[in-house]
Amino acid sequence: MIKDITIGQYIPGETFVHKLDPRTKILLSILFIACLFIIDKFVGYALIIGFLVLTVYVAKIPPRYLYKGLKPVFFLIAFTAILNIFMIKGTVNTLVFELGFLKVYEEGIRTAIFMALRLILLIMGTSVLTLTTSPIELTDGIERLLKPIGKEMAHELAMMMTIALRFIPTLMDETDKIMMAQKARGADFETGGIIQKAKSLIPLLVPLFISSFRRADELAMAMEARAYRGGAGRTRMKQLNFTSNDYIAFIVFTILLVGSISIRVFM
C-alpha cells in the first residue's frame, strides 16, 4: 500500500506536456479542479475523462502509475459513495430500493456516482502535474505565481511546499523499510482491533519521526554549506518563458472550460 503512493514522483520525458511551462501546468490544474466542480451531468464527466485520457496519452504516462495513486484512497472513495447513497433523500417517485429503514433514492445513486468520479478524476488530474513536472520546475512555477505577495515570501512558501512534496516518496520508502524491519523483529501491524492496530504503530512512528528530523537537519546543513540565503539575490540557470505550446494548451483548456459551463447551463 505504501509503495502505491505516487504523490511527489516525477517521470522524466520530452513530451508536449513535459515541455509546458510549470506555471501553465499549475494554472491548468487549478482550472481542471474548477471544471470538476462545475459539471453536474454525465456528459460533462465524459468530456473531462476524454480530456484526461488524451493528456495521459500525450504525456506518455504509464496507466499503472495513475492506478497506483488511486489504490490508497479506494476505501475513502467507496465510503463516500456509500454515505451519499444512504444519506441523500429524494422523492417517493424516485425510490429505487427499500429495506426497513434503509431507503435508496435515484438522487442518492446519482450523487454517489458523481462524487466517486469527482474524487477519482481529481486525484488522477493532479497526479499528472507532479508526474510531468520536476521538483525544481514546480518550485520556480509556484514562486513566480506567488510573486505578487512578495519575492522573499513567495520563494519561502514555494520552497517549503516543494520540499514537502519532494520528500513524500522518500518518507514512504523509509516507512516501508522500517515496517519490514519491525516485522522481522516480530511486530504485527495487521491483526487485532482498532486500538491494537494503533498501538502497534508506535514502533513505526517513533523511528520515522527520528529519521524525518535527521533528514531535515541534514538538508538544512547542506543548504547552509552551499551558501543558500533564500530568495534575496537568487538567480536561475533556466528562465521561465511561455512558448507557443503553452498558448495552445490554454486554448484547448479554454474550450474544455467553456464546454463544461455550457453543459451545466444549457443541458
Side-chain angles (χ1 to χ4, degrees), residues 1-194:
M1 183 69 73
I2 292 175
K3 292 183 178 180
D4 293 332
I5 297 178
T6 58
I7 299 176
Q9 294 187 15
Y10 168 63
I11 302 176
E14 295 295 328
T15 66
F16 176 86
V17 180
H18 283 81
K19 293 180 179 181
L20 290 177
D21 190 286
R23 293 171 294 178
T24 300
K25 286 185 275 190
I26 294 172
L27 291 174
L28 294 185
S29 297
I30 296 173
L31 292 177
F32 178 81
I33 296 173
C35 287
L36 290 178
F37 287 93
I38 290 174
I39 57 179
D40 59 348
K41 295 177 178 62
F42 287 107
V43 177
Y45 282 102
L47 178 65
I48 295 292
I49 292 173
F51 173 80
L52 185 59
V53 170
L54 178 62
T55 303
V56 172
Y57 175 77
V58 172
K60 296 182 180 179
I61 300 174
R64 68 176 184 274
Y65 276 91
L66 299 178
Y67 175 71
K68 286 171 61 178
L70 288 174
K71 286 178 66 177
V73 294
F74 273 156
F75 174 78
L76 176 62
I77 295 172
F79 181 72
T80 303
I82 292 172
L83 279 182
N84 281 279
I85 289 175
F86 291 105
M87 297 298 293
I88 294 182
K89 305 299 182 182
T91 62
V92 178
N93 295 331
T94 61
L95 182 64
V96 177
F97 175 78
E98 182 177 3
L99 180 61
F101 67 93
L102 295 177
K103 296 182 180 180
V104 177
Y105 294 89
E106 183 180 335
E107 287 85 348
I109 297 176
R110 177 188 176 90
T111 305
I113 295 174
F114 282 174
M115 289 300 297
L117 285 174
R118 189 171 292 170
L119 288 173
I120 291 172
L121 294 174
L122 178 64
I123 295 171
M124 294 178 66
T126 52
S127 295
V128 172
L129 171 64
T130 57
L131 290 173
T132 60
T133 312
S134 67
I136 295 177
E137 291 179 340
L138 199 58
T139 302
D140 290 341
I142 295 174
E143 182 179 348
R144 291 292 294 273
L145 291 176
L146 295 178
K147 192 175 181 180
I149 67 175
K151 185 175 181 180
E152 292 189 11
M153 184 180 295
H155 174 75
E156 292 175 359
L157 288 174
M159 181 64 69
M160 287 188 293
M161 288 188 289
T162 309
I163 288 177
L165 189 65
R166 166 62 183 83
F167 274 92
I168 289 177
T170 304
L171 292 178
M172 293 301 101
D173 185 61
E174 188 78 17
T175 303
D176 187 62
K177 291 180 180 178
I178 295 173
M179 184 176 293
M180 296 297 291
Q182 296 293 358
K183 285 183 178 180
R185 293 174 173 82
D188 187 4
F189 298 101
E190 298 177 358
T191 61
I194 297 178

